[in-house]
């Protein structure tokens, strides 16, 4: 959890498969917000649960994005996704691994606008800046540079975070 003063909090429990998923949304006193999705050990869930879990996570991301923007996402929304971490270290590779699986669209607007329009998506750029030991630069410096060039409306950072308890490993997304 953030450790900052909380202005409001709500919790919702959703049954996916045979196991409950708890979604806790917090609005911080400083205007920020977090969502914590506790889905139980992902390795103990059946394959049939994965699409519903993915949809739930996508819905939470969409909810946070529209809340931050104050509007729905559309073809004019510019998003920069940053996959933080070391791709060569399995426990730290979730950010770079996620970026590898994205379909970026920013370049299509300039090179094939009809395809971009037909996709009906937003402008998505992505990067994995690596870690200082690989680049000699702080990830934040590289992200600021990319944001200066691409002018995103939103920056989504994906990173592996430490957990207070082993029970949260492979079971909680925040």
């Amino acid at each position: 959890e953030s450790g900052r003063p909380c202005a409001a909090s709500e919790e919702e429990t959703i049954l996916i498969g045979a196991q409950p998923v708890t979604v806790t949304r917090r609005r911080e006193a400083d205007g920020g917000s977090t969502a914590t999705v506790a889905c139980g050990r992902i390795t103990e869930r059946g394959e049939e649960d994965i699409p519903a879990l993915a949809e739930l996570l996508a819905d939470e991301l969409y909810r946070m994005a529209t809340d931050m923007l104050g509007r729905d996402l559309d073809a004019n929304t510019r998003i920069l996704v940053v996959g933080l971490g070391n791709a060569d270290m399995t426990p730290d590779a979730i950010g770079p691994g996620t970026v590898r699986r994205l379909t970026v669209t920013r370049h299509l607007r300039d090179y094939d606008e009809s395809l971009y329009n037909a996709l009906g998506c937003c402008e998505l750029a992505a990067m994995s800046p690596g870690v200082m030991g690989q680049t000699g630069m702080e990830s934040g410096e590289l992200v600021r540079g990319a944001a200066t060039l691409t002018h995103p409306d939103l920056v989504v950072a994906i990173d592996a975070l430490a957990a207070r308890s082993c029970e949260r490993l492979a079971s909680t997304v925040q």
Side-chain angles (χ1 to χ4, degrees):
E1 307 292 315
S2 70
R4 298 180 295 190
C6 178
S9 181
E10 75 176 74
E11 188 171 286
E12 178 181 6
T13 300
I14 303 158
L15 192 64
I16 294 182
Q19 298 179 33
V21 174
T22 304
V23 180
T24 305
R25 298 177 193 95
R26 292 172 45 111
R27 176 148 326 265
E28 308 299 339
D30 66 4
S33 63
T34 62
T36 303
V37 179
C39 56
R41 291 264 177 197
I42 194 80
T43 55
E44 295 173 5
R45 285 189 170 269
E47 283 289 317
E48 65 278 0
D49 291 356
I50 302 304
L53 288 169
E55 187 171 328
L56 175 64
L57 291 172
D59 289 347
E60 286 304 312
L61 281 170
Y62 187 85
R63 175 188 219 142
M64 290 181 78
T66 56
D67 186 45
M68 291 174 73
L69 287 173
R71 63 177 172 83
D72 279 338
L73 304 179
D74 59 28
N76 295 313
T77 305
R78 295 177 313 269
I79 299 174
L80 172 61
V81 177
V82 180
L84 298 171
N86 186 339
D88 298 326
M89 301 282 292
T90 301
D92 197 30
I94 192 166
T98 301
V99 164
R100 274 195 308 274
R101 290 170 178 83
L102 294 176
T103 302
V104 295
T105 58
R106 180 177 181 266
H107 61 296
L108 293 177
R109 183 169 255 170
D110 293 332
Y111 295 112
D112 193 343
E113 191 167 0
S114 62
L115 175 59
Y116 178 82
N117 291 332
L119 290 172
C121 58
C122 62
E123 188 178 295
L124 182 67
M127 67 180 291
S128 293
V131 293
M132 187 186 290
Q134 297 168 324
T135 65
M137 295 176 276
E138 288 282 359
S139 296
E141 294 172 328
L142 295 167
V143 173
R144 274 190 295 282
T148 298
L149 293 171
T150 62
H151 307 288
D153 299 306
L154 291 172
V155 176
V156 177
I158 302 169
D159 196 3
L161 300 175
R164 277 191 225 142
S165 69
C166 289
E167 288 76 35
R168 292 186 75 178
L169 295 175
S171 68
T172 304
V173 177
Q174 187 173 47

